[in-house]
Amino acid sequence: MNRDQSERYVNLLLEGLSARDAWTFLTDFSLLLLCSGQQQLSEKVRRLLRERRWDLAVCEVAKYVEMPLFTGWEPLPTPPPACLEAAEDILKAYSETPGISFKECSALLDRLLGEMVQRKLIRDFITPPFLADMMVQMLEPWPGCSILDPACGSGGLLLAAQKQCPGSLLMGIEIRPPIAAAAALRLQISGGTAANVREEDFFRLADSMKSQWDMVLSNPPYDRDLSDTARFINGFLHVLKFGGRCAVLVPEGFLSSTARSKANAARRLLLKYHTLEAVISLPPEIYAPQLISHSSLLVFQKGKDETKRDVFFSRVLREAGNSGGAGAYLPGIGRVLDSWRSWSAGEAPPDPEESEPSWWTVSHEALVQGGSIFPAEGGRPASPSAACAYHEEALRRVEERQSVLESLLRRYIGGTE
């Protein structure tokens, strides 16, 4: 199936679909794709689609899926007619193609998900694939290593790990049933084998998984007061083995806020007892069209590694003149990964006098002395006095506003001035 055919089918599948039904539909269609390589099952499912029995067709495939997530699965009752016709045509095209691969089914599913995001049928945050690939590369998984995503969403980070290191052992945890189901099927269709995705609350499982995982990959939900972000960081440290590593996306405020006590405590914990390896600042448009958000990628290791006294800092820059999408960020990501390899090999950073250094380092000691604020933004490392300067400026602004408020109170209440 070529790209033009895929786009046509995706448009037909989404014709008349509502945002309310998006995740259930994605799971339903993923189930139908699973039967594409089984001729006898595919014929039966196509017959049910021709009879406009979408629910029976989906349930027929669900019986063959050996995952608790699909026990009693409830498909969409009445999807738009175009969905049924397009699904029947896709299964027919695949059944008539000898040697249809899971890779082609996975590519079609990825295009469908991408279009649903573009149309805002799916409003949940989805990590861009090129960013997920970068996170996996910085962790450098090996065959047989265990990787956990404690808030896996639709499974994009685990999918990147699966593609880059097929022999790794993957588990995803997602608290929302339809999204957990979609993640499990995306991973199964991509890899051809059942994926371990659990519909659970990570924090209820954390104690049972203490010190069990080699790696954690995650883009946890953001919150205004950063307490959830801090809670996730602490949870990741809890489930990692000693020496295990984590790559996590965090809101920029988590790195720099001095007003949130839980964020401060999590940063101090990282610097005092563990090994922060990297802080990568990301452009806010990198998540478009879903949202605009200032964020950073953190890479850290559980436990103190005295051989790593400096922390790697860099920024992903958006290519000027590029209209958007992966092409706007891939060159910048490539430069960061090249710099990361240089740092990992023990090379010295570029001359700090450069106007735009591609990367720089800051010692753990300087970060601790700076009040545990991570200098993610800016082309140069922050000085140890950065936190003091930040506090002094904030205090000056508070005093100015207090002076204005007192003046107004005296004028309108006290009768003076």
Side-chain angles (χ1 to χ4, degrees), residues 67-371:
M67 279 187 271
L69 286 168
F70 300 100
T71 302
W73 177 255
E74 295 184 8
L76 282 180
T78 53
C83 289
L84 291 96
E85 295 170 9
E88 182 193 348
D89 288 346
I90 290 168
L91 292 184
K92 181 179 179 181
Y94 279 169
S95 65
E96 293 175 351
T97 304
I100 184 68
S101 68
F102 282 107
K103 184 176 180 181
E104 185 167 351
C105 292
S106 178
L108 176 62
L109 192 58
D110 288 347
R111 277 194 285 273
L112 178 63
L113 178 60
E115 186 61 29
M116 293 171 85
V117 170
Q118 289 286 337
R119 298 188 186 193
K120 293 184 168 46
L121 291 170
I122 285 179
R123 299 182 184 275
D124 288 69
F125 182 84
I126 295 176
T127 308
F130 52 85
L131 184 53
D133 289 341
M134 174 186 176
M135 294 169 69
V136 174
Q137 289 187 58
M138 293 189 74
L139 283 188
E140 300 176 342
W142 63 89
C145 75
S146 55
I147 304 176
L148 173 70
D149 185 345
C152 72
S154 60
L157 289 169
L158 293 175
L159 197 62
Q162 183 187 67
K163 289 178 179 177
Q164 291 189 42
C165 190
S168 53
L169 306 175
L170 307 176
M171 176 185 279
I173 299 172
E174 171 56 49
I175 197 169
R176 295 164 294 178
I179 303 180
L185 291 173
R186 284 188 77 200
L187 288 160
Q188 180 164 347
I189 289 172
S190 175
T193 57
N196 191 359
V197 176
R198 298 180 63 175
E199 177 203 322
E200 294 279 0
D201 181 343
F202 164 62
F203 298 108
R204 292 184 179 178
L205 292 177
D207 282 341
S208 66
M209 297 191 296
K210 182 179 180 180
S211 303
Q212 289 186 9
W213 296 89
D214 294 311
M215 296 182 179
V216 169
L217 271 169
S218 192
N219 183 3
Y222 290 3
D223 58 312
R224 288 185 179 274
D225 66 359
L226 305 177
S227 59
D228 282 351
T229 302
R231 190 181 180 205
F232 270 107
I233 295 289
N234 292 332
F236 300 163
L237 290 167
H238 185 76
V239 301
L240 280 169
K241 297 176 181 177
F242 186 84
R245 300 173 67 226
C246 173
V248 57
L249 294 170
V250 298
E252 202 72 82
F254 177 76
L255 307 180
S256 58
S257 172
T258 57
R260 276 88 166 199
S261 59
K262 292 185 179 178
N264 278 328
R267 290 198 302 266
R268 286 195 298 270
L269 179 72
L270 271 179
L271 292 173
K272 186 173 182 179
Y273 299 107
H274 306 285
T275 308
L276 180 65
E277 296 183 11
V279 180
I280 313 297
S281 184
L282 304 172
E285 305 86 2
I286 201 167
Y287 305 113
Q290 300 173 83
L291 54 84
I292 303 297
S293 175
H294 290 273
S295 64
S296 291
L297 166 62
L298 300 187
V299 180
F300 58 84
Q301 177 180 327
K302 182 175 180 178
K304 273 293 184 185
D305 185 346
E306 297 299 337
T307 66
K308 298 177 180 178
R309 301 195 61 81
D310 290 335
V311 182
F312 172 91
F313 284 84
S314 188
R315 296 179 299 170
V316 173
L317 299 175
R318 185 170 185 239
E319 291 295 290
N322 196 302
S323 59
Y329 305 104
L330 288 177
I333 285 175
R335 285 190 289 270
V336 170
L337 289 173
D338 288 342
S339 300
W340 170 253
R341 295 183 189 105
S342 298
W343 176 83
S344 300
E347 296 181 19
D351 186 342
E353 296 302 319
E354 288 184 21
S355 59
E356 289 291 340
S358 57
W359 61 285
W360 61 97
T361 60
V362 180
S363 69
H364 283 90
E365 291 79 6
L367 288 175
V368 172
Q369 293 169 12

Side-chain angles (χ1 to χ4, degrees), residues 21-31 109 112-113 116 122 154 182 185-186:
D21 298 330
W23 281 112
T24 302
F25 170 73
L26 184 67
T27 301
D28 285 357
F29 182 69
S30 301
L31 282 166
L109 192 58
L112 178 63
L113 178 60
M116 293 171 85
I122 285 179
S154 60
L185 291 173
R186 284 188 77 200

